[in-house]
Amino acid sequence: MAKYDISIRDYSRIIRKRRTIVIAAIVLCTIASYLFALFASPEPRYQATSAVKVERVTDLTTLLYGRVSWTLWNNVTTQAVVITSFPIMEGTAKKMGLIPEKVSSAQVRNTEKYQRIVTSLKSQVETEREAETNIINITATAKTPKEAALIANTVAEVYHQANVDERNQKVRETREFIEKQLEVVQGRLDKAEQNLRTFEETTNLVAIDAQTATILNRLSSLETESAQVQQKQGVVQRLLKSLQKIRQGRH
């Protein structure tokens, strides 16, 4: 059987003869690779971070009842979870205009459309505590840098306002608690004073201070009278001695 060897010249002649097919294949492969890379590549995501500082605030009511048992670490961890909670995400969505401001929380929770918005927003936000500090980093992920920064800053603002509102509520509760305690103590004091006046009226007692003053004045008066009597006795004794001397001289 005859064997044929193909040289480089033969390859070149074949390529020149089939150049249209070769060029078309190259172009099609290039376009296919570009389209595959365009649709198969992941969508670019951008992140922005905003930080908030958590302060431990104890209201007077808690101090009076002795319920301060949590640590700063537990408080920071709790606040990190609170930042991604439904109320904070709901407030963020309203502040960003994703949900109308006039819509109540009950309507948001009962409307599937609003729930999806809040849930989607929550999935874009992550919180992490800065090592060994009371600072929480809020990281937002979005399709554009501007959107990521807007989400992170808005979450921080909404959380800060919610924290301020909570502190104001504690201050109001503490003030109401103190006012109620003052009313109770004032009632007890008024009742005690009334009982004292009733007791004094029924027993005809004089105030202890008045009795003491009267006794001291009486003692002072008696001491004065006693001194005067002793002085008079001394004068009388001197007169008696003088009379005795006179009588002895006559005898």
Side-chain angles (χ1 to χ4, degrees):
M1 184 176 180
K3 294 183 179 180
Y4 300 94
D5 295 330
I6 300 176
S7 62
I8 296 177
R9 183 178 300 175
D10 295 332
Y11 281 114
S12 176
R13 187 170 56 254
I14 293 171
I15 291 174
R16 284 197 303 269
K17 186 177 181 180
R18 306 297 184 188
R19 62 180 177 272
T20 303
I21 298 175
V22 173
I23 294 172
I26 293 174
V27 171
L28 290 176
C29 289
T30 303
I31 294 174
S33 300
Y34 173 77
L35 293 176
F36 178 80
L38 181 64
F39 291 104
S41 61
E43 184 180 0
R45 308 291 287 178
Y46 299 90
Q47 288 185 337
T49 302
S50 180
V52 293
K53 184 178 180 181
V54 178
E55 296 289 349
R56 182 174 64 181
V57 178
T58 306
D59 57 282
L60 181 59
T61 307
T62 304
L63 288 175
L64 291 176
Y65 283 108
R67 296 176 180 173
V68 184
S69 58
W70 42 267
T71 62
L72 179 61
W73 184 87
N74 289 331
N75 185 43
V76 174
T77 304
T78 302
Q79 295 304 312
V81 177
V82 171
I83 291 175
T84 57
S85 64
F86 193 91
I88 301 299
M89 293 297 107
E90 176 187 342
T92 303
K94 289 182 178 180
K95 194 174 183 63
M96 293 178 61
L98 302 176
I99 298 176
E101 289 282 349
K102 297 181 179 179
V103 177
S104 63
S105 297
Q107 291 177 331
V108 172
R109 294 178 182 274
N110 295 327
T111 305
E112 184 178 355
K113 175 184 176 182
Y114 296 148
Q115 286 184 357
R116 286 199 303 269
I117 293 175
V118 175
T119 303
S120 175
L121 192 61
K122 182 179 180 180
S123 64
Q124 295 178 257
V125 178
E126 295 180 354
T127 57
E128 183 180 7
R129 180 194 180 195
E130 193 75 25
E132 304 301 329
T133 65
N134 57 339
I135 296 176
I136 299 176
N137 292 324
I138 303 172
T139 303
T141 305
K143 297 179 181 179
T144 62
K146 185 178 180 180
E147 183 182 1
L150 177 62
I151 294 174
N153 292 331
T154 305
V155 171
E157 292 176 5
V158 172
Y159 167 73
H160 175 71
Q161 186 60 43
N163 199 16
V164 171
D165 294 340
E166 182 181 1
R167 293 186 182 185
N168 291 338
Q169 179 64 24
K170 288 183 178 180
V171 170
R172 287 192 294 269
E173 292 176 354
T174 302
R175 183 181 63 189
E176 293 174 358
F177 173 79
I178 294 175
E179 290 175 351
K180 290 180 180 179
Q181 293 300 313
L182 288 176
E183 291 178 358
V184 172
V185 173
Q186 185 63 39
R188 292 177 180 174
L189 180 60
D190 294 341
K191 185 177 180 180
E193 290 179 349
Q194 182 62 35
N195 292 336
L196 179 59
R197 285 193 296 268
T198 303
F199 178 76
E200 290 178 350
E201 291 174 358
T202 54
T203 56
N204 295 323
L205 292 177
V206 183
I208 296 177
D209 292 341
Q211 290 181 349
T212 303
T214 302
I215 293 172
L216 291 176
N217 291 333
R218 182 60 179 167
L219 288 174
S220 178
S221 175
L222 292 175
E223 288 177 354
T224 303
E225 292 179 0
S226 175
Q228 291 176 354
V229 170
Q230 290 178 357
Q231 185 178 3
K232 290 179 181 180
Q233 287 179 352
V235 173
V236 171
Q237 289 178 357
R238 285 195 297 272
L239 290 174
L240 290 175
K241 290 180 179 179
S242 298
L243 290 175
Q244 288 178 357
K245 289 180 180 180
I246 293 172
R247 288 177 182 178
Q248 292 176 357
R250 288 180 179 180
H251 293 290

